[in-house]
Amino acid sequence: MKAQRQAKIMEIISKKDIENQEQLLRALQVEGFTSTQATISRDIKELCITKELTSFGTYRYTAAIKNRGGAFSSGLNAIFRECTLSFDYAQNMVVIKTLPGLASAAASAVDAMNLSVVVGTLAGDDTVLVVMRDVNAAAVFCGELKNLLS
């Protein structure tokens, strides 16, 4: 039953924007699965489900991408915090200013975040261009950067 429930969880989050455990529990009930919030919480941990930022500024559950190691990502995040001087957005583009020579590291850190709202990054010597899916995603992303850097 556990394997079937977890498979159904993965199916649900791949098809719907589920923001919290309560919504996930209701979606499972609609599919005929009876469970508790505590069980759902354990399933989320076991399945390595994370939350990602949507283009609407909300979060949704998603299957974690395991192609980047934790030490790699945390190292890039530390470099990102140390090398970023400023950032701002215009329309659906975010510009990040870094110390000279560190734009590629900052772009790699953004790429390692694996956000679906990021279309791609382009790095020069001290400037990173991040192309977002829409204007709202750019504004929310800048808010997230502010939290990350403070």
Side-chain angles (χ1 to χ4, degrees):
M1 187 67 163
K2 177 180 177 180
Q4 292 170 331
R5 182 183 65 247
Q6 288 184 346
K8 185 55 74 173
I9 288 171
M10 296 303 282
E11 180 184 327
I12 289 169
I13 67 169
S14 71
K15 292 180 179 178
K16 298 178 183 176
D17 285 351
I18 302 292
E19 295 181 35
N20 55 48
Q21 291 179 8
E22 197 173 290
Q23 286 179 348
L24 183 55
L25 187 58
R26 282 195 302 264
L28 278 172
Q29 289 170 344
V30 168
E31 296 289 334
F33 289 86
T34 304
S35 191
T36 65
Q37 184 273 329
T39 301
I40 297 299
S41 182
R42 283 190 296 273
D43 287 340
I44 288 170
K45 286 180 184 174
E46 287 178 22
L47 294 169
C48 299
I49 293 173
T50 61
K51 285 192 175 184
E52 73 177 354
L53 187 63
T54 69
S55 61
F56 302 110
T58 59
Y59 288 89
R60 68 184 283 282
Y61 285 124
T62 185
I65 298 174
K66 297 180 182 179
N67 63 346
R68 308 264 178 151
F72 180 73
S73 295
S74 64
L76 280 175
N77 286 339
I79 291 170
F80 185 81
R81 283 191 294 277
E82 294 299 319
C83 74
T84 301
L85 300 175
S86 65
F87 56 89
D88 203 353
Y89 73 98
Q91 298 294 327
N92 69 320
M93 296 176 287
V94 176
V95 174
I96 302 170
K97 295 289 191 173
T98 70
L99 294 170
L102 294 176
S104 290
S108 290
V110 172
D111 291 338
M113 292 176 191
N114 293 313
L115 300 173
S116 65
V117 293
V118 174
V119 176
T121 59
L122 180 65
D125 182 57
D126 63 356
T127 305
V128 178
L129 175 66
V130 183
V131 179
M132 308 298 292
R133 295 220 178 268
D134 57 41
V135 176
N136 188 44
V140 171
F141 182 69
C142 281
E144 292 292 318
L145 288 180
K146 184 177 180 179
N147 291 338
L148 177 68
L149 298 174
S150 61

